[in-house]
Structures are given as structure tokens and as C-alpha cells.
Amino acid sequence: LLAQWGRWRAASRAVSPHPAAPALPPGATGPSNAPRRFWGSYRPHVYFGMKTRSPRSVVTGLMWLQQRDGAELRHTCEQSDGLRRYGWLLHDGERFGLQDIHDRGLLLRTEFVKRPGGLHGGDWSWRVTGADGRAALVSLFFYVATDGQGELRPQLEDGTRLAAVTGTSEELGDFKIAFLRPTADDGEDVKYSSFHYLDAWSPGLHRLTDVVRSSLSDRFVFAPPDGPRQRFVAVDAFRGLPGTAEAPRSHLLLHQVTLRLPARVEVTFESGSVRERRAALLGPALTAELARHQAAFERRFEETFGLERKGFPPSQRRFAQAALSNMLGGMGYFHGRSLVRSPLHEQPVPYPESSLFTAVPSRSFFPRGFLWDEGFHQLLLARWDPELSREVLAHWLDLMNAEGWIPREQILGDEARAKVPPEFVVQHSETANPPTLFLALRRLLGSAPLPYLRRLFPRLRSWYEWYNGTQAGPLPHTFRWRGRDADPERFLNPKTLASGLDDYPRASHPSADERHLDLRCWMALASQVLAEAAERLGEPAELYRQAERALSDNELLERLHWAEELSAFADFGNHSRAVGLRREAGRAAPGRPPPAPRVVRVVHEAPRPRFVDALGYVSLFPLLLQLLRPDSPRLGAVLAAMRDERRLWTPFGLRSLARDSPLYMQRNTEHDPPYWRGSVWVNINYLALRALHGYANQPGPHRELAARLYGELRHNLIGNLYRQYAESGYLWEHYSDSTGRGQGSHPFTGWSALVVLAMAEDY
Ligand code: 6A9
């Protein structure tokens, strides 16, 4: 019985919240305590939309449709839309933003500006300006939708034009959203436009596109008095979603304007609790507000990063502004439950309901929170707005369970869930991810108010203890990522998703004897930062200092991780240096059709305990996190490997795996192309620059070499990211080590936006 009780208790701890007081006091992010950040563009997965930082927020959004054959309704950011470019060019993370969207011949500019006042986050206005070289017919759809609570009431003009929506909700009180008549640049009404509206219910926000799509009819004719007639598509009656039995949850009111461009449409949100309103935020008043915010942004950008001072030309400064702005404009507010599996659960179980305010790696492909990405994001955002960064950090720490674990990928709510294939949804409660929040915390420590730190501290300590307790390695002062791929026969090298470096080569045969160098270095950093935090708070710090000393002891580091045969630092484990993939005919069962051939791993040399013969990002960790002493006898070899073109050096940045490494650019299965096996990744290159800058500024035998590498690497990285942006319109997830071309998902203004800090030389 006791054993059973113990199991039950352990299982329930996996999905129980951490017992410490939350890092964010209750209500801290609501309209009374943080009115300036209540409304925001916190729906990074749509091209343009806003919501409030509340669990079941009323949302607003934009869709559009070019009225020509084969054109698609645009709404959520999809790579398959093939947009030439889109993203926030200016965004201050709080009050104002400007985005350009290039869709075939169409250019849409979306702008918003907020005006504080009242008790519910104030007012805001939108302006959407469209231009099109071919004066083609375009429809813009503006919508308001509820998410399980609140009430919306359509205000019709002439029975067809949705002129406004009035409403009430738990977080907003009373409000009114007005859709103004389209105007030309000079503010005059456009000559002819056509209006339609939709009033429908959806099973949830994740089905809004479907609801609109299934309400479209092509029976309409655009008939301006002095122009050609044209058939077009508009919302008609909602005919229901085929095959859904889901109960209605979202009330949707949508206003469609169809017109020839150029034209612009403005939308105003007015909060019922704003008592004295000077004038509506519209027309010339809106133009003036937008201009004022734009000027303030430019000034603050220069004060913060000094790129003009450093001599960057305007085009490169705009690139850097866009990188920062799209990270800020990509911030989301998510609410829901993760799905978690612990070793004690047979089935995944729901994690406690939680809210997360976070930046995201990619608005199109990964519009949700990722733990180790966030530490990198906050290196940049902490410079722009330390208070914002502190809030994000606190949100993440409040996701901790009773054991001290934070789930790696945050898929919260129906909209987030709808983007992820089911096999990727479940988070495993033994799986870690690099504790990069410590990286960000170190940047914030100096200016963080003590009461804030004090609230964070118990959680930081538990998090740290969780790593020490669950990711310990086979020997003292070693560490091992848990949760490597379970079925080694399926992969050339079983992946280590926990490390963040997914398919980076590790020991070929996962075992309890592995020692992972990157994790060891991350733990040295964590110990260091935790010690600093403890000292600032007057808490006992000696244990963390001891750990820091042991983990940064260069002799011990060498004994555990220096591979003489590689002349590099490395992982250790049960490893074969000769593995390959082979296509095998499936074994036919009698009387059955022959099964498809499958690819299996073959091991040509028996594995044995040894260092892993991979030279790449992992080998650099003692340098990346500056644990290697400037006078270390190994520093020269590490720098040489970095600078060597047959190994890590490329004209575009450092590649992830040496060109002469056995698994360089090898597929992991027939379906898994190489990922961290050669490409240039910006987060690690940023760490490399930071470290080189550090070594260049300390006395030591390699000081000059470090300075030279620093200059060259910075030049290469910035030059390539800028070139790729200018050519392709995007920042990318990673870059080809042979051509420099952007690869993977885009836009990716998660850690690739660290290029701004590299330009600013802000480490
Ligand atoms: C796949 C498919 C629409 C992989 O940037 C986020 C992470 C990094 O943390 C990690 O280091 N990316 C890197 O190796 C992207 C992970 C995406 C996984 C989800 C689901 C979605 O299909």
C-alpha cells in the first residue's frame, strides 16, 4: 500500500504546480497593474491581430483575399502561402507597430497604435493601407471574436455594412470597435466599394479561417458606375463546418470591404471606461500619433544599439530594426494546458492550466514558446526593455512543476495545438532543455529589483536542483541528457532533443555511461548565476560557488572531456565510429504483399566506451561559455579548429559540425535531413562572438588570435544574414554552410535576431 501511495504521489507531483509563491504575483499582468501591456499584437501566428493578456480574451484580426482565380484567403502565417516577405519593420513591444506584407502584387501595410486611459488597457486604432500595381480587386476582412465568454453585438448601417461592434467581456467591460469607411490617401472616401458581413459561431478560435472560408460565395458582382464589372467572392450565409460536432465557443463578427487599391481602412477600439476622450484616434490625428511613435522608436533604437554611431548604413539599420521588431511583434500570450507524460503515467495527463507571455522562434512554423530559445530571445529583449524581459522570465518560471521541471515546448490552447501534429504534443517530465534562462538572468541581475529576485529565487533553486538530481552523469561532476531516442536501430545516430541540438552526433549507443559536455557547461553557467543571485539576496551561496568551481576547473574538464585523438573537447559514451544506414527489403509474410523496404542502421565496428568523434558546436562549449581559462593550453587548439575551413570556419559563420566529421551533412533516417550537422546557427555563433570578444579583452597568449577571429566572424555573420534578408525577405532558422542561403523555417526572428546584438557588439 505504501509503495502504491508513493507512486501516486510521485505521479501527481509531475503535474502539480511548484509550491513556492508564484514569481508573478496574482493580477500582475492584468489591466490594473500593467495597463500598458494589456492589449497587444499577442497573436504571432496571424498576419495581423490583437488580444489582451487574459485567458479567454476577445480577439481581433485581419484576413484578405485577392479577387482573382485561384487566390487564397490569408489569415494565419503559413510558409505555404509563399509570401515574398512580411514582418514587423517597427514595433516597440508595447504601444505601436508597423508591418509590411508583400503578397504577389499586393502590398499591405498594417499599423496599430495604443492610447492609454480608463481601467481596461485603453483605446487603440488600426490602419491598413493597401497598394497594388495592377489596381486589382481586393477584399479585406476585419473581425472580432470571443473565446468562450463575453458578448458581441453587430451595429449595421443600411442593413449590410458592419459599421461597428459593441460588446462586453470579463476583461474589457464595455467596448466599441468601429470599422471606418475606406479612404484614399488624402482622406476622401474611395469612390466605390462593396460591404459584406458575417455573423457566425465557431467551435473555437482555431477554426475561424474554416468558418470564413465555408461562408464564401462567388455569386457577387462588383459594379462601379464608371468601371468594368467583375464577379467576386464574399461572405454570405454560414453553412456550418462539415463534420464537426464541437459545441460553439467563439462568436465571430466580420466586416468585409471589397475595393480597388490604393485605399486604406481604419479601425478604432474604444474602451467604455475611458471617461474623457479628446477626439477619435483617426485620420490626421492617427497619422500624427503614428509619426510620433515612429520617431520615438528610431531614437530609442539608436540610443540602445548605436548602429548609426557605428557606421552601419541605413539599409542595414532597417534590417536590424526589422529583426528586433519582429521578435517584439512575435510575442504571444498563450493560455492552456500542456500534455505531459511521466515515467509513472501510462497515458499523457493534462498539466495545470497556465498562461505564458513569451517571444516565439517563428511566427509561421513555431508560433509558441520554447524553453531554451527563450533564454536567447531575452538576451536581446532585456536590452530593449528589461522590465518586459523580467516579466517573461517570471512567466516561464511559473510553469514549473512540484519537481522543479519546466516543459520544453509550450503548446497551450486550441490555436497552438492546431499547429502541432499529435505525436509532437506530449512533453516528457524527464526531458530537460538547456537552462538558458540563466543566461538572460545574468543580463538582468544588475538592475533587477530585489523583491523581484526574491520571488524568483526559490524557483531558480528548484530548477537547478532538478537538473542536478535528474540529469546527473555517471561520474561526479558529469552530466547526461535524458530522453535520447529510444530505438537506436532506426537512426544513424539517436537524437538528443533535450539538448536543443537535436541530431548533433552523440554516442552511437545511448547508455547510462554517457557524459555530455554541453550540459556540463550549461550547469557551470547555472551555478555561477545562481551564486550571484544568492549573494545579491544574502542567501547562502557557497554550495553554488563550489559547484561553479568544480565545473569550471580546467584540469577536471580536460580529464573528463578532452579527446586527445580529436584534439578537441568531446562527449564520452558507448560509441562506434563506423555506422551507416542500409535499405533492407522487408521480410515477406506468407500470403501477404511484400512490405515496403525500410532503412535500418548497420554497425560496422562494435561500440565501446570512448570519446565521440564529432567535432562541432559541442566541442566549443568550454569556450562558448568562457569556462576555458585564457591561458589554457587547449585554447589554441580550439581556436584553430574554429578557424579551419576544413573544420568549422565558413564565410557565413561557424558551421555546427566539422566538414571532416563522419556524420557531417548525413541524413539521420531517409526522412530526416541533416539539421545540426553542418548548418550555421545564429544562437551559437552569437555565443562564439561573445566568447571571442571576452578572450580578446583578457591577457593571454591567444589574445590577438581571438581578436582577429572575432572581427572576421562578426563580419561574416552579419554580412550573410543581411544579404539573405535583402535577397529573400526573411531571417531564417539556420543558414547553409556552403552557400550561406537561409534554410528551415522563416521568418525566424527568434535567436537569429541576435544579429542585432552582434552588430551592436553588445555581449
Ligand atoms: C515540430 C512540426 C508545423 C528545433 O526553435 C525551436 C526548436 C529549437 O528549440 C531546437 O533547438 N526548433 C531546434 O533544434 C524547432 C522545433 C520544432 C518542433 C516541432 C512540429 C510543426 O509542424
Side-chain angles (χ1 to χ4, degrees):
L1 197 68
L2 212 59
Q4 227 170 37
W5 185 80
R7 273 175 67 86
W8 176 83
R9 215 181 99 90
S12 81
R13 275 166 67 83
V15 290
S16 308
H18 193 274
L24 284 164
T29 63
S32 344
N33 291 311
R36 288 174 310 145
R37 276 202 276 276
F38 195 49
W39 272 106
S41 53
Y42 305 139
R43 307 180 64 212
H45 60 292
V46 297
Y47 288 113
F48 189 37
M50 305 234 298
K51 66 182 282 192
T52 58
R53 296 203 301 183
S54 33
R56 299 179 299 160
S57 166
V58 167
V59 305
T60 60
L62 171 74
M63 304 182 190
W64 73 90
L65 179 68
Q66 306 197 45
Q67 296 284 355
R68 52 174 175 74
D69 284 347
E72 285 280 334
L73 184 68
R74 307 288 196 214
H75 179 216
T76 53
C77 304
E78 305 293 340
Q79 281 183 192
S80 54
D81 288 349
L83 263 50
R84 204 146 55 73
R85 62 201 312 159
Y86 68 92
W88 294 99
L89 301 177
L90 306 167
H91 195 303
D92 67 6
E94 192 172 300
R95 273 161 295 208
F96 140 90
L98 178 154
Q99 171 180 237
D100 276 354
I101 301 170
H102 299 252
D103 184 9
R104 308 296 182 286
L106 169 70
L107 168 62
L108 284 180
R109 170 163 290 187
T110 68
E111 296 170 277
F112 77 87
V113 68
K114 284 160 56 180
R115 189 159 69 181
L119 306 169
H120 301 95
D123 296 346
W124 51 256
S125 291
W126 282 7
R127 173 180 286 171
V128 175
T129 310
D132 187 318
R134 304 151 309 172
L137 194 61
V138 170
S139 292
L140 303 174
F141 306 77
F142 297 89
Y143 67 80
V144 188
T146 61
D147 184 21
Q149 56 90 23
E151 214 182 283
L152 302 178
R153 295 173 293 272
Q155 310 296 324
L156 293 182
E157 197 180 272
D158 308 331
T160 54
R161 197 182 97 80
L162 183 64
V165 172
T166 53
T168 313
S169 76
E170 62 190 20
E171 74 278 18
L172 289 171
D174 294 330
F175 59 87
K176 176 175 176 186
I177 300 178
F179 304 111
L180 282 298
R181 285 184 169 274
T183 63
D185 250 1
D186 55 11
E188 295 292 311
D189 279 3
V190 298
K191 282 204 211 79
Y192 185 82
S193 43
S194 183
F195 302 109
H196 295 82
Y197 88 97
L198 181 67
D199 182 337
W201 282 83
S202 163
L205 298 177
H206 61 298
R207 302 298 305 274
L208 292 181
T209 322
D210 298 332
V211 168
V212 175
R213 209 181 271 134
S214 72
S215 308
L216 293 172
S217 152
D218 65 359
R219 67 182 177 85
F220 301 97
V221 178
F222 191 77
D226 54 351
R229 294 161 65 86
Q230 182 184 336
R231 279 183 82 101
F232 73 100
V233 172
V235 287
D236 203 358
F238 175 49
R239 289 177 296 271
L241 293 178
T244 33
E246 295 169 81
R249 173 179 168 95
S250 292
H251 186 196
L252 169 71
L253 287 176
L254 174 139
H255 165 64
Q256 177 180 357
V257 195
T258 304
L259 40 52
R260 290 201 191 282
L261 299 177
R264 72 186 188 208
V265 178
E266 293 175 353
V267 178
T268 58
F269 174 93
E270 295 188 336
S271 164
S273 70
V274 173
R275 287 278 165 261
E276 278 162 45
R277 191 171 280 113
R278 283 159 283 157
L281 192 48
L282 275 179
L286 178 55
T287 306
E289 269 304 275
L290 287 168
R292 195 170 68 82
H293 279 93
Q294 173 158 352
F297 176 92
E298 310 258 0
R299 234 177 296 121
R300 179 168 163 199
F301 189 84
E302 180 57 22
E303 275 162 23
T304 311
F305 302 111
L307 300 191
E308 186 172 0
R309 223 167 33 242
K310 279 186 174 291
F312 284 100
S315 56
Q316 295 199 8
R317 300 201 308 264
R318 280 194 299 273
F319 155 69
Q321 290 182 345
L324 170 76
S325 295
N326 209 51
M327 184 187 280
L328 286 163
M331 297 198 68
Y333 186 84
F334 305 94
H335 184 88
R337 292 156 169 265
S338 291
L339 219 48
V340 165
R341 197 197 310 263
S342 82
L344 296 156
H345 289 104
E346 257 133 55
Q347 290 300 317
V349 285
Y351 204 65
E353 206 169 309
S354 21
S355 298
L356 177 62
F357 181 52
T358 185
V360 304
S362 165
R363 289 176 56 197
S364 59
F365 222 63
F366 322 122
R368 51 185 178 274
F370 286 83
L371 180 54
W372 91 300
D373 296 61
E374 202 52 30
F376 288 107
H377 300 159
Q378 295 312 318
L379 286 176
L380 177 58
L381 297 191
R383 281 298 188 242
W384 180 252
D385 186 346
E387 195 204 312
L388 178 101
S389 246
R390 289 199 292 270
E391 257 198 11
V392 170
L393 226 61
H395 269 101
W396 274 95
L397 290 170
D398 280 345
L399 299 173
M400 186 173 285
N401 76 0
E403 294 168 331
W405 171 69
I406 302 177
R408 181 169 64 96
E409 184 173 346
Q410 295 289 328
I411 307 165
L412 305 176
D414 291 339
E415 283 185 282
R417 189 78 56 89
K419 280 243 166 190
V420 187
E423 67 270 28
F424 291 106
V425 170
V426 177
Q427 302 296 303
H428 296 258
S429 75
E430 296 127 275
T431 306
N433 206 205
T436 56
L437 298 183
F438 281 108
L439 210 53
L441 182 64
R442 174 147 77 189
R443 182 156 290 203
L444 291 165
L445 261 184
S447 64
L450 286 183
Y452 168 80
L453 268 188
R454 195 157 287 128
R455 276 201 317 274
L456 252 54
F457 192 71
R459 289 172 179 270
L460 292 170
R461 200 169 48 201
S462 294
W463 201 36
Y464 178 77
E465 283 161 7
W466 181 85
Y467 282 93
N468 276 308
T470 65
Q471 313 289 309
L475 301 173
H477 309 302
T478 63
F479 289 88
R480 174 169 71 88
W481 298 110
R482 301 304 196 269
R484 291 193 61 193
D485 280 337
D487 176 5
E489 296 314 303
R490 272 182 53 210
F491 307 97
L492 183 62
N493 185 278
K495 290 189 300 300
T496 315
L497 293 180
S499 73
L501 310 175
D502 300 15
D503 65 340
Y504 184 92
R506 308 279 181 167
S508 61
H509 292 66
S511 75
D513 295 328
E514 275 172 84
R515 343 198 253 262
H516 293 134
L517 173 58
D518 49 340
L519 182 50
R520 187 177 192 278
C521 295
W522 286 121
M523 292 309 291
L525 170 88
S527 312
Q528 216 173 71
V529 179
L530 199 54
E532 264 169 59
E535 279 157 11
R536 274 210 65 196
L537 290 170
E539 297 276 340
E542 191 37 38
L543 278 178
Y544 311 126
R545 285 288 176 218
Q546 266 172 29
E548 180 200 350
R549 277 194 295 274
L551 295 175
S552 47
D553 175 327
N554 277 217
E555 278 70 47
L556 188 54
L557 173 69
E558 283 193 31
R559 238 180 297 141
L560 293 166
H561 285 288
W562 181 259
E564 200 56 59
E565 61 278 22
L566 264 186
S567 252
F569 290 105
D571 280 351
F572 186 90
N574 189 29
H575 184 61
S576 159
R577 288 175 315 180
V579 294
L581 290 179
R582 194 168 63 205
R583 184 172 283 271
E584 267 188 357
R587 207 163 303 143
R592 294 279 198 84
R598 52 180 212 136
V599 168
V600 293
R601 182 170 89 164
V602 282
V603 177
H604 304 290
E605 173 208 61
R608 65 172 172 80
R610 63 176 350 148
F611 287 109
V612 177
D613 59 336
L615 187 135
Y617 285 168
V618 165
S619 329
L620 299 183
F621 261 81
L623 171 132
L624 295 176
L625 297 181
Q626 296 174 73
L627 304 170
L628 214 52
R629 287 195 316 259
D631 63 352
S632 157
R634 306 301 181 194
L635 183 56
V638 176
L639 292 172
M642 284 169 87
R643 187 59 190 86
D644 182 352
E645 276 158 40
R646 278 165 315 164
R647 287 184 283 171
L648 300 180
W649 193 260
T650 86
F652 320 109
L654 297 171
R655 58 164 71 89
S656 36
L657 188 62
R659 220 175 56 189
D660 62 4
S661 206
L663 297 198
Y664 170 71
M665 289 311 271
Q666 294 295 309
R667 300 179 82 84
N668 209 29
T669 69
E670 55 184 330
H671 310 292
D672 291 317
Y675 199 32
W676 293 83
R677 294 185 181 172
S679 292
V680 176
W681 292 78
V682 179
N683 58 337
I684 302 295
N685 275 275
Y686 173 75
L687 291 180
L689 285 174
R690 196 177 71 131
L692 290 170
H693 190 260
Y695 288 110
N697 285 299
Q698 289 171 73
H702 304 292
R703 187 175 182 172
E704 265 141 48
L705 180 59
R708 186 162 65 78
L709 261 58
Y710 169 75
E712 291 176 0
L713 178 59
R714 174 167 176 265
H715 175 86
N716 288 351
L717 189 76
I718 296 171
N720 189 55
L721 262 65
Y722 172 70
R723 233 176 1 259
Q724 297 304 322
Y725 175 78
E727 275 169 26
S728 71
Y730 294 107
L731 275 95
W732 294 75
E733 187 183 14
H734 48 104
Y735 293 85
S736 160
D737 66 325
S738 55
T739 63
R741 291 271 296 271
Q743 295 178 325
S745 65
H746 60 278
F748 190 103
T749 41
W751 58 46
S752 297
L754 290 176
V755 66
V756 179
L757 294 181
M759 292 168 85
E761 305 196 82
D762 180 344
Y763 306 109

